[in-house]
Amino acid sequence: MNAPSDAQIAIIAETYRLLGDPTRLRVLLACLAAPIAVGDIAKAVNASPSLVSHHLRLLRAARLVRGTRRNRQVFYETADDHIAHMLADMIEHAMEDHSEDSDT
């Protein structure tokens, strides 16, 4: 694998900065399974629709989610398989048993 350019490093760092917010991460995770409306995301993450919309705007700008309009509603989903795989790998890593890990 080639080393990423400075511009690519900046994009990666910004992506992880965005995912550092627990509510924003929950919003993104809610979009993993299937396209979902803002109101349903708000219920799933226990946040107001306006807060969810704010987070979705940031996630869309970072190309982490995409929205599809159906009549009067917009349904959001992860932007592509790379995002879904990254999140699945992060979840799997967090669920690993690290009790044997020790620096001593």
Side-chain angles (χ1 to χ4, degrees):
M1 174 173 14
N2 294 331
S5 68
D6 289 345
Q8 291 165 328
I9 291 287
I11 290 169
I12 295 166
E14 177 62 13
T15 299
Y16 280 104
R17 186 191 69 74
L18 284 169
L19 298 179
D21 180 282
T23 301
R24 196 172 300 126
L25 181 56
R26 285 185 184 97
V27 167
L28 185 57
L29 290 170
C31 298
L32 264 178
I36 184 170
V38 174
D40 294 330
I41 297 170
K43 289 176 190 169
V45 304
N46 196 28
S48 71
S50 62
L51 180 62
V52 168
S53 292
H54 169 73
H55 286 304
L56 286 167
R57 182 180 56 78
L58 296 173
L59 293 168
R60 280 184 78 168
R63 300 178 317 147
L64 298 175
V65 297
R66 64 176 172 229
T68 305
R69 183 169 295 282
R70 294 185 198 156
N71 298 320
R72 297 181 60 143
Q73 285 190 314
V74 178
F75 289 80
Y76 290 91
E77 61 188 323
T78 52
D80 58 38
D81 286 341
H82 296 111
I83 303 306
H85 290 295
M86 176 188 68
L87 291 170
D89 287 346
M90 290 170 65
I91 292 166
E92 185 177 331
H93 177 72
M95 291 179 163
E96 288 177 351
D97 181 11
H98 295 283
S99 60
E100 294 180 17
D101 294 348
S102 175
D103 290 343
T104 58

